[in-house]
């Protein structure tokens, strides 16, 4: 019995915050309980969810479908847990749906059966008609972690996952690409709110034939040793490939108890912005990990930094080019661009830079390293390719709520093209921003 929407997964970049409401069977916000029939109690709960998000200044990404709806059986590492939900799906013939699948997974038929597509579009029309007016909803995710819907034995699965009974990577299917073309054409006709539309894949990779059609793309990052180094890298690749926004829409570790202080979450909030992702990483596990350990407080520092950067007023041109040797215990990433003046007649350089202490990782904590880290620095960063003149340099420290902790002025001389700036000591993460003041000495 079907269509769920479950929990709100908050991103917390800057207000308004993107978040995700996932459609999933057997959840408290289940919308479609029977084929073409929408449960009004569940819809009321969605109303309340949107109302709470609206009051808090949070923007929502509504997920219309989830891979579990098409999995007949998908056990997880927890013996009592099974993510397969097709037996309860409104698509199953046993529940009055159009799919009578006797062997294999239902996913292959889902994307080719026109009757199923009609049922899906009808529900999508209802979602848009009922909640599309609300500017709290910034986007629609047509399908969540699409390749997980396929069994490893399906012909559409070109590479089974190595860590579970599902198809995780390198998915490419003409039927899936065609399904997206038909659904995207339809939703762009009946959605007067012109919401941004996407589909997600587990991990980093997706199907180019699908992602090239989307308004924005996402990646999902779980269980990597160094979230600061890994977060946002592939999203940046996708943004450049498709010339559309991209960000990490899911992240986290298993088990969550291995990271009670939220180090993986903190690093995921800081790293992606400096790689020009469209948002910070959106952590999963809002049903337990984040509220249990009171981790939502970590949004405050990155929000204060992000509010200082005129993101939409800058033509970002590339990565920050740091050429001076830095400590092997630091990861340094950033981006530079040209900020247009109010008169739109002159340009000025602006840049952001992120310094991360490599010892500040959830894996280091898990093996028993002390939580109080030895700070790295101060460090001189030499940024190459800078125009002659002086720059205002600002540093933000998340360990003290992201305050503007240090402001200096550095200049590029006549005979050089680099800017030397002194970065403060880094215990965990530090964010910096430098802006061109002009051909002055202050």
């Amino acid at each position: 019995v079907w269509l769920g929407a479950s929990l709100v997964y908050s991103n917390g970049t800057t207000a308004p915050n993107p978040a995700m409401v996932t459609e999933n069977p057997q959840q408290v916000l289940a919308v479609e309980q029977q084929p073409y029939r929408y449960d009004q109690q569940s819809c009321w709960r969605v109303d309340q969810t949107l109302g709470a998000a609206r009051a808090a200044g949070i923007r929502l990404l509504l997920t219309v479908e989830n891979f579990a709806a098409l999995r007949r059986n998908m056990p997880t590492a927890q013996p009592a847990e099974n993510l397969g939900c097709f037996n309860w799906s409104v698509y199953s013939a046993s529940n009055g749906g159009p799919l009578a699948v006797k062997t294999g997974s239902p996913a292959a038929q889902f994307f080719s059966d026109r009757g199923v597509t009609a049922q899906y579009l009808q529900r999508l029309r209802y979602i848009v008609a009922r909640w599309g007016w609300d500017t709290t909803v910034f986007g629609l995710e047509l399908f969540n972690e699409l390749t997980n819907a396929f069994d490893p034995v399906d012909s559409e699965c070109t590479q089974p996952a190595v860590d579970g009974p599902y198809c995780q990577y390198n998915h490419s299917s003409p039927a899936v690409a065609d399904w997206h073309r038909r659904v995207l054409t339809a939703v762009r006709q009946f959605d007067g709110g012109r919401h941004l539309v996407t589909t997600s894949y587990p991990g980093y990779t997706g199907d180019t034939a699908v992602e090239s059609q989307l308004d924005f793309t996402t990646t999902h990052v779980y269980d990597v040793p160094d979230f600061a180094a890994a977060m946002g890298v592939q999203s940046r690749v996708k943004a450049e490939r498709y010339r559309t926004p991209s960000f990490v829409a899911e992240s986290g570790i298993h088990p969550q108890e291995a990271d009670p202080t939220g180090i993986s979450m903190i690093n995921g909030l800081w790293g992606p912005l400096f790689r020009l992702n469209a948002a910070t990483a959106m952590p999963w596990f809002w049903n337990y990990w984040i509220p249990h350990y009171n981790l939502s407080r970590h949004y405050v520092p990155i929000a204060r930094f992000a509010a200082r950067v005129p993101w939409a007023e800058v033509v970002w041109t590339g990565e920050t080019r740091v050429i001076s040797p830095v400590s092997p215990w630091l990861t340094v990433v950033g981006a530079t661009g040209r900020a247009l003046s109010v008169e739109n007649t002159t340009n000025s350089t602006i840049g952001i830079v992120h310094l991360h202490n490599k010892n500040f990782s959830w894996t280091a904590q898990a093996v028993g390293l002390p939580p109080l880290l030895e700070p790295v620095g101060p460090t001189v960063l030499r940024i190459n390719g800078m125009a002659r003149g002086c720059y205002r340099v600002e540093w933000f420290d998340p360990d003290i709520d992201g305050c503007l902790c240090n402001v200096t002025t550095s200049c590029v001389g006549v005979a050089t093209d680099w800017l030397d700036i002194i970065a403060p000591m880094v215990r965990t993460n530090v964010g910096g921003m430098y802006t061109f003041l002009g051909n002055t000495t202050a």
Side-chain angles (χ1 to χ4, degrees), residues 227-301:
F227 277 82
M231 282 293 200
V233 175
Q234 292 300 319
S235 294
R236 180 63 183 160
V237 171
K238 288 186 178 183
E240 293 176 348
R241 178 186 301 159
Y242 303 119
R243 309 302 297 173
T244 56
S246 187
F247 60 93
V248 179
E250 292 186 25
S251 66
I253 65 169
H254 303 83
Q256 298 101 63
E257 291 81 4
D259 187 14
T261 59
I263 294 175
S264 60
M265 173 180 166
I266 297 169
N267 291 340
L269 292 177
W270 281 85
L273 284 191
F274 296 85
R275 292 185 172 94
L276 299 181
N277 283 206
T280 65
M282 298 172 66
W284 204 249
F285 308 125
W286 274 86
N287 57 333
Y288 169 72
W289 180 52
I290 293 176
H292 181 77
Y293 294 109
N294 189 30
L295 302 182
S296 58
R297 68 187 186 276
H298 295 310
Y299 290 119
V300 175

Side-chain angles (χ1 to χ4, degrees), residues 110-149:
F110 174 89
F111 290 106
S112 58
D113 188 289
R114 296 304 176 102
V116 177
T117 301
Q119 181 182 354
Y120 175 96
L121 283 173
Q122 183 65 29
R123 181 169 70 252
L124 182 54
R125 285 177 181 271
Y126 184 86
I127 291 171
V128 169
R130 178 151 184 162
W131 297 295
W133 64 271
D134 194 338
T135 54
T136 301
V137 179
F138 85 88
L140 302 168
E141 185 180 52
L142 301 181
F143 213 103
N144 175 258
E145 296 201 337
L146 187 149
T147 53
N148 278 345

Side-chain angles (χ1 to χ4, degrees), residues 8 27 76 78 93 104 106 161 167 234 250 253 297 305 307 337 433 441:
V8 176
Q27 298 284 355
T76 68
Q78 302 297 323
C167 178
Q234 292 300 319
E250 292 186 25
I253 65 169
R297 68 187 186 276
F305 172 81
M433 180 172 68
T441 57

Side-chain angles (χ1 to χ4, degrees), residues 31-89:
V31 173
E32 190 173 356
Q33 299 282 339
Q34 300 176 27
Y36 293 100
R37 300 184 65 179
Y38 310 117
D39 183 78
Q40 293 307 300
Q41 289 185 347
S42 293
C43 291
W44 176 84
R45 296 186 189 104
V46 177
D47 293 338
Q48 302 308 302
T49 300
L50 265 65
R54 190 184 316 116
I58 297 174
R59 299 292 179 93
L60 299 178
L61 171 64
L62 299 183
T63 300
V64 183
E65 196 53 271
N66 182 278
F67 68 88
L70 303 178
R71 287 307 301 264
R72 194 184 299 277
N73 183 50
M74 188 173 175
T76 68
Q78 302 297 323
E81 196 176 68
N82 190 306
L83 297 180
C85 300
F86 182 68
N87 290 339
W88 297 276
S89 168

Side-chain angles (χ1 to χ4, degrees), residues 330 355 357 374-379 396-397 399 422-430:
L330 281 180
L355 281 70
N357 187 335
E374 185 70 25
V376 179
T379 303
F396 299 78
D397 191 338
D399 293 326
I422 300 176
M425 290 192 299
V426 182
R427 193 180 75 84
T428 60
N429 295 276
V430 168

